[in-house]
């Protein structure tokens, strides 16, 4: 039996059959089980922030696995404490931290905080955006603005109201005394790396303030350097009430975090929330290594510089299939003039470049934050050739 046949025989069908089986990686490169080498511009979907097999993560995890793997939440531990302190320091706001294992779980925590915030005044509604993505658990799914993903699983928790992303007037009309929280991504990630109009986050903040609603910013994909800032909200000078993180935080180890600022951080009392594995010492040690390396190696500057180089190189591609380039930092989408992103993804893979058809007409690039200009220059001709092959 082939690898794919074995996979199909035992795995649930929720992902379809992945077209590739990866064996190992080093930096921005990965190798499949047949030994083919690829430049990885998917980065585990914006997760492998330091690339593959980074020595800082290898050392941190190796050290921790031999020292203490798990404690449960019945004991404190050094990696968790240091990581929480560091995240609060980086957010530069008085906040409390809850550790989860994933983005969806970080958002579940945020939604429960919103419930408690709204409780006294009977506010139960969450306002979210069409085309947003907040995760697959029932709570996170209930605020995910993709009807095709949501509707098969109705009934979902509610009430939830959706408005168009970036539409300030619609948001103002939707948010009121019934609103417990607004949940928003700084840029739509799964929605296709869609950047909102300038000032949108500031407007959302003002609308939440007027209505007394919490502002939950989902930085699961945008956070921890992806845009060239620790938090995308910081680029806009916006103070969130709740921030959720996951993806790049652990550099590939599973960890999510929910940071609640000021009064929002005081809402949970003992017993209100929990997770057996959340804040596991190994995941926390990996996340600390990620944060330390981003700071020590000046990776935020690298993201800005190499991200601009990438955007310029993508912008110069002359192809009838390319309609434009959007995004920020090392988080870009190539918008296509036809819904042929899956074909381009496959053609690029055939040329040793991994990119992601995030939408039928958009390719997402979310490479490791350690990417170099030389690696961009290596990738672009492969993408150009893939576009030529598909346009032919
Ligand atoms: N929030 C955002 C913005 C995301 O992009 C994702 C995943 O793509 C999630 C939440 C869900 O994260 P996870 O898959 O770790 O549950």
């Amino acid at each position: 039996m082939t690898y794919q046949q074995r996979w199909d025989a035992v795995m649930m069908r929720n992902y379809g059959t992945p077209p590739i089986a990866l064996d190992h990686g080093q930096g921005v490169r990965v190798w499949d089980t047949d030994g083919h080498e690829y430049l990885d511009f998917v980065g585990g979907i914006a997760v492998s922030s330091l690339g593959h097999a980074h020595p800082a993560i290898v050392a941190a995890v190796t050290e921790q696995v031999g020292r203490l793997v798990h404690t449960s939440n019945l004991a404190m531990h050094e990696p968790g404490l240091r990581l929480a302190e560091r995240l609060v320091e980086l957010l530069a706001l008085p906040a409390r931290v809850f550790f989860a294992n994933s983005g969806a779980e970080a958002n579940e925590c945020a939604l429960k905080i919103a419930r408690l915030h709204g409780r006294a005044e009977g506010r139960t509604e969450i306002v979210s955006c069409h085309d947003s993505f907040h995760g697959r658990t029932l709570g996170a799914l209930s605020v995910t603005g993709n009807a095709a993903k949501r509707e098969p699983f109705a009934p979902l928790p509610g009430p939830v109201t959706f408005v168009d992303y970036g539409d300030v007037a619609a948001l103002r009309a939707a948010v009121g005394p019934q609103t417990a929280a607004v949940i928003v991504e700084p840029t739509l990630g799964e929605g296709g790396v869609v950047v909102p109009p300038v000032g949108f986050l500031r407007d959302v903040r003002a609308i939440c303030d007027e209505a007394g609603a919490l502002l939950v910013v989902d930085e699961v994909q945008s956070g921890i350097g992806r845009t060239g800032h620790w938090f995308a909200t910081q680029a806009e000078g916006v103070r969130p009430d709740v921030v959720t993180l996951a993806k790049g935080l652990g550099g590939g180890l599973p960890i999510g975090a929910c940071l609640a600022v000021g009064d929002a951080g005081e809402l949970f009392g003992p017993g209100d929330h929990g997770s057996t594995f959340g804040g596991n010492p190994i995941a926390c040690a990996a996340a600390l290594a990620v944060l330390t390396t981003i700071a020590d190696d000046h990776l935020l500057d690298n993201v800005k510089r190499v991200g601009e180089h990438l955007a310029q190189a993508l912008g110069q591609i002359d192809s009838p299939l390319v309609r434009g380039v959007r995004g920020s930092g090392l988080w870009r989408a190539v918008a296509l003039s036809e819904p042929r992103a899956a074909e381009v993804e496959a053609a690029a893979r055939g040329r040793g470049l991994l990119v992601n058809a995030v939408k039928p007409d958009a390719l997402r690039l979310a490479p490791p934050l350690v990417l170099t200009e030389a690696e961009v220059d290596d990738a672009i001709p492969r993408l150009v050739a893939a576009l030529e092959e598909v346009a032919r």
Side-chain angles (χ1 to χ4, degrees), residues 123-134:
R123 297 164 175 266
T124 52
E125 190 187 60
I126 307 289
V127 177
S128 181
C129 294
H130 291 300
D131 261 345
S132 64
F133 186 82
H134 300 292

Side-chain angles (χ1 to χ4, degrees), residues 102-104 107 133-135 185 190 218 220-221 247:
S102 65
N107 284 331
F133 186 82
H134 300 292
E185 293 167 81
E190 298 308 298
D218 181 341
V220 165
Q221 195 158 151
K247 287 197 177 280

Side-chain angles (χ1 to χ4, degrees), residues 294-324:
I294 290 176
D296 290 355
D297 294 358
H298 309 288
L299 291 182
L300 298 183
D301 291 341
N302 190 66
V303 169
K304 289 186 189 118
R305 197 183 62 253
V306 181
E308 272 315 306
H309 182 70
L310 175 62
Q312 273 184 18
L314 292 172
Q316 279 166 10
I317 295 177
D318 182 15
S319 161
L321 262 185
V322 174
R323 193 161 51 80

Side-chain angles (χ1 to χ4, degrees), residues 95-383:
R96 293 187 182 275
V97 182
F98 172 81
F99 287 123
N101 306 288
S102 65
E105 285 178 57
N107 284 331
E108 291 294 330
C109 176
L111 293 171
K112 284 178 75 174
I113 289 173
R115 275 272 194 267
L116 293 188
H117 168 74
R119 213 173 141 82
E121 295 175 33
R123 297 164 175 266
T124 52
E125 190 187 60
I126 307 289
V127 177
S128 181
C129 294
H130 291 300
D131 261 345
S132 64
F133 186 82
H134 300 292
R136 305 289 196 151
T137 53
L138 290 181
L141 190 60
S142 75
V143 296
T144 287
N146 181 323
K149 290 191 166 61
R150 212 176 51 236
E151 278 167 5
F153 302 98
L156 292 167
V160 182
T161 298
F162 293 97
V163 299
D164 282 347
Y165 188 65
D167 186 338
V168 175
L171 186 72
R172 183 166 286 117
V175 175
Q178 76 289 357
T179 311
V182 174
I183 183 165
V184 68
E185 293 167 81
T187 283
L188 295 180
E190 298 308 298
V193 196
V194 175
V195 183
V198 176
F200 177 60
L201 267 190
R202 277 197 297 279
D203 291 335
V204 181
R205 172 75 272 176
I207 290 167
C208 287
D209 284 344
E210 283 161 30
L214 286 185
L215 170 55
V216 177
V217 183
D218 181 341
E219 293 236 32
V220 165
Q221 195 158 151
S222 62
I224 312 299
R226 181 60 44 199
T227 69
H229 303 269
W230 287 110
F231 297 87
T233 48
Q234 291 172 335
E236 313 268 335
V238 167
R239 181 186 61 79
D241 296 307
V242 180
V243 185
T244 55
L245 297 169
K247 287 197 177 280
L249 175 60
L253 275 288
I255 185 165
C258 178
L259 279 66
V261 176
D263 291 347
E266 306 302 329
L267 288 165
F268 277 162
D272 279 337
H273 199 44
S275 164
T276 291
F277 292 118
N280 169 278
I282 295 173
C284 289
L288 272 169
V290 167
L291 299 182
T292 304
T293 304
I294 290 176
D296 290 355
D297 294 358
H298 309 288
L299 291 182
L300 298 183
D301 291 341
N302 190 66
V303 169
K304 289 186 189 118
R305 197 183 62 253
V306 181
E308 272 315 306
H309 182 70
L310 175 62
Q312 273 184 18
L314 292 172
Q316 279 166 10
I317 295 177
D318 182 15
S319 161
L321 262 185
V322 174
R323 193 161 51 80
V325 179
R326 56 187 187 233
S328 60
L330 285 174
W331 199 24
R332 305 280 172 171
V334 180
L336 302 184
S337 51
E338 294 173 45
R340 304 185 71 179
E343 292 169 68
V344 181
E345 179 193 296
R349 191 167 52 247
R351 289 174 162 75
L353 173 66
L354 301 184
V355 295
N356 164 238
V358 64
K359 288 267 161 178
D361 63 351
L363 293 166
R364 171 172 49 186
L365 283 67
L369 311 185
V370 296
L371 188 74
T372 63
E373 278 149 333
E375 284 159 341
V376 171
D377 296 344
D378 189 350
I380 293 295
R382 303 180 195 213
L383 182 58

